[in-house]
C-alpha cells in the first residue's frame, strides 16, 4: 500500500469532511480548546478558518491530555466553503505550527461523526530503556534507566483485557460518569532499547493508560509480581495504585471505524515504530455489545453509553 496518494487540486470538496491529524503535544495543554492555554483544537480551527475564510469548528475522535502526541487523530467538520483536497491539506498545513499537520482529507456522509462513530481507540506508550538519557527521541519517549522485564510486564497486563471497572487507574479529576471500559488488547514488547505498550479499547478514562504504564514499569523493574495489575484492578482505589507515567511517551495512534466510511488506511505511528509494519484496522474487533452499539445495531436499554475517549 503506497503512502503517496496524489492530492486532487480541481474538484472542490463540500459538505462534511474528515481529516487525519498528527501532532506533537509537547507545547499544548491537550487537544481540547481552552481559554487559558494553547490547545491543538484551537490551532487547527484557526488554520481551517483561514483557508475557508469563515469560522470552522471541529469534532475529534477523542481528547488527548496535556503533552500527549497523536499520529492518527480523526477530526470532522462541515466545510463552510468549497476547497479542493490539495487546498485543504496544503493550505491548512501552511497555517499550522510545525508541530501539527493534516495528513489527509476525505468527504464523508453527513451521518459520520468522528467521536460517536468510532468503534475503538488505540494508543502506544514508548519507553526508551537504556542507561543514558535520550537525545533525538527525548520529546516522544519516556526514559527508563533501570532494566525492564518486558515479558513480565506483558503477563501482568493481561489481567486488564476485557470489560472492567478501572477506578484504580483513573485520575482524581476524571469527569466520566462510569469507570467501566472495555480493553480489547494490551501488549508489551521489547524492540532493542524500546519497550512498547500497545493498548486498544472502546474508550479510556483520564490518565488511564499512563496510570497502567506506571504500574507496569514497577512490575518490569521487579518490584512487584505478575499479579500486581490484577490486584490494583480489584482494589478499585486510585490512592492505593502506582505513579502516573509521563505524558511524553504516549501516542494516540488510531481510531477505528467501519470500512464503509471510506477513511484511508495508513501505517500505525509513531514513525520510529514503522519497522513493526502494522497498518491501521488490521486486527479484528471483539464481538461485544459496545461495538454492536457503535455500528447502530439495537441493544438493550442497559447498554453502556459513551462519554468520549480521553487520555
Amino acid at each position: 500500500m503506497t503512502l503517496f496518494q496524489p492530492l486532487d487540486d480541481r474538484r472542490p470538496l463540500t459538505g462534511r469532511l474528515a481529516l487525519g491529524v498528527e501532532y506533537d503535544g509537547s507545547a499544548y495543554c491537550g487537544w481540547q480548546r481552552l481559554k487559558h492555554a494553547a490547545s491543538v483544537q484551537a490551532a487547527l480551527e484557526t488554520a481551517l478558518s483561514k483557508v475557508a475564510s469563515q469560522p470552522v469548528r471541529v469534532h475529534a475522535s477523542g481528547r488527548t491530555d496535556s503533552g500527549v502526541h497523536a499520529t492518527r487523530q480523526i477530526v470532522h467538520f462541515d466545510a463552510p466553503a468549497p476547497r479542493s483536497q490539495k487546498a485543504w491539506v496544503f493550505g491548512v498545513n501552511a497555517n499550522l505550527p510545525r508541530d501539527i499537520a493534516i495528513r489527509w482529507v476525505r468527504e464523508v456522509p453527513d451521518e459520520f461523526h468522528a467521536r460517536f462513530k468510532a468503534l475503538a481507540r488505540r494508543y502506544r506508550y514508548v519507553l526508551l530503556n537504556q542507561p543514558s538519557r535520550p537525545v533525538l527521541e527525548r520529546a516522544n519517549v519516556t526514559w527508563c534507566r533501570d532494566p525492564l522485564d518486558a515479558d513480565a510486564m506483558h503477563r501482568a497486563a493481561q489481567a486488564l483485557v476485557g470489560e472492567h471497572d478501572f477506578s484504580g487507574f483513573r485520575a482524581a479529576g476524571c469527569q466520566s460518569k462510569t469507570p467501566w471500559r472495555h480493553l480489547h488488547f494490551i501488549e508489551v514488547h521489547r524492540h532493542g532499547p524500546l519497550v512498547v505498550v500497545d493498548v486498544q479499547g472502546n474508550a479510556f478514562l483520564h490518565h488511564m493508560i499512563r496510570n497502567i504504564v506506571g504500574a507496569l514499569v514497577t512490575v518490569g523493574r521487579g518490584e512487584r509480581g505478575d499479579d500486581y495489575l490484577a490486584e490494583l484492578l480489584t482494589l478499585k482505589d486510585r490512592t492505593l495504585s502506582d505513579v502516573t507515567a509521563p505524558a511524553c511517551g504516549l501516542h494516540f495512534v488510531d481510531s477505528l471505524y467501519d470500512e464503509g466510511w471510506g477513511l484511508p488506511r495508513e501505517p500505525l505511528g509513531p514513525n520510529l515504530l514503522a519497522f513493526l509494519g502494522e497498518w491501521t484496522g488490521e486486527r479484528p474487533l471483539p464481538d461485544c455489545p459496545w461495538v454492536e452499539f457503535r455500528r447502530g445495531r439495537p441493544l438493550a436499554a442497559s447498554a453502556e453509553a459513551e462519554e468520549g475517549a480521553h487520555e
Side-chain angles (χ1 to χ4, degrees):
M1 185 172 295
T2 179
L3 295 173
F4 297 92
Q5 298 290 340
L7 296 175
D8 184 86
D9 61 355
R10 295 185 178 183
R11 187 176 71 86
L13 303 184
T14 58
R16 183 154 294 185
L17 303 182
L19 304 173
V21 185
E22 179 176 5
Y23 52 86
D24 178 338
S26 302
Y28 302 95
C29 289
W31 160 263
Q32 190 170 12
R33 175 183 284 273
L34 301 169
K35 293 181 180 179
H36 63 280
S39 69
V40 179
Q41 181 182 5
L44 180 59
E45 288 177 344
T46 298
L48 284 165
S49 299
K50 288 181 179 179
V51 174
S53 300
Q54 297 182 55
V56 172
R57 295 301 299 267
V58 302
H59 302 271
S61 56
R63 292 175 290 169
T64 51
D65 201 13
S66 179
V68 175
H69 316 300
T71 59
R72 187 176 163 87
Q73 172 72 275
I74 306 300
V75 170
H76 86 262
F77 71 100
D78 294 318
R83 301 285 186 268
S84 71
Q85 188 181 51
K86 187 174 183 179
W88 281 119
V89 174
F90 283 18
V92 173
N93 284 342
N95 286 283
L96 281 170
R98 292 175 63 88
D99 49 11
I100 307 174
I102 291 179
R103 296 170 65 98
W104 48 262
V105 60
R106 292 288 189 279
E107 285 180 319
V108 289
D110 291 343
E111 296 77 26
F112 177 82
H113 195 287
R115 173 182 166 190
F116 296 125
K117 294 300 182 181
L119 303 176
R121 286 91 174 174
R122 184 169 174 179
Y123 286 81
R124 283 172 168 174
Y125 195 97
V126 185
L127 295 149
L128 184 62
N129 191 207
Q130 63 183 32
S132 60
R133 61 179 174 83
V135 177
L136 299 182
E137 309 94 343
R138 65 190 181 277
N140 50 32
V141 302
T142 292
W143 174 43
C144 183
R145 62 185 177 185
D146 300 318
L148 295 176
D149 184 341
D151 292 336
M153 295 167 68
H154 178 78
R155 292 193 300 270
Q158 300 318 297
L160 306 179
V161 175
E163 189 173 359
H164 302 286
D165 178 340
F166 283 94
S167 293
F169 299 99
R170 69 189 301 186
C174 181
Q175 298 176 356
S176 175
K177 296 178 182 177
T178 172
W180 286 83
R181 294 293 186 267
H182 189 153
L183 251 63
H184 301 164
F185 64 80
I186 179 168
E187 300 173 350
V188 185
H189 298 292
R190 176 179 287 279
H191 307 280
L194 299 178
V195 174
V196 180
V197 181
D198 200 338
V199 56
Q200 179 176 295
N202 66 327
F204 296 93
L205 301 166
H206 193 195
H207 286 179
M208 177 175 159
I209 297 176
R210 291 167 58 192
N211 291 335
I212 289 172
V213 172
L216 287 175
V217 168
T218 295
V219 173
R221 286 179 170 138
E223 298 171 7
R224 298 299 297 261
D226 291 3
D227 60 349
Y228 184 43
L229 276 290
E231 177 186 340
L232 296 178
L233 190 66
T234 301
L235 289 172
K236 302 177 184 177
D237 188 344
R238 175 61 190 143
T239 64
L240 302 176
S241 192
D242 217 302
V243 300
T244 302
C248 59
L250 186 58
H251 302 257
F252 182 15
V253 300
D254 203 4
S255 289
L256 281 76
Y257 300 87
D258 271 325
E259 292 183 1
W261 297 115
L263 301 185
R265 294 179 67 240
E266 54 189 331
L268 294 175
N271 283 338
L272 76 163
L273 300 180
F275 60 87
L276 297 179
E278 186 173 357
W279 289 66
T280 181
E282 290 185 339
R283 302 195 188 195
L285 290 168
D287 183 13
C288 64
W290 176 265
V291 173
E292 297 300 298
F293 173 69
R294 275 290 176 233
R295 285 177 166 153
R297 296 166 188 167
L299 296 177
S302 59
E304 177 186 0
E306 178 182 11
E307 305 175 52
H310 188 172
E311 206 3 285

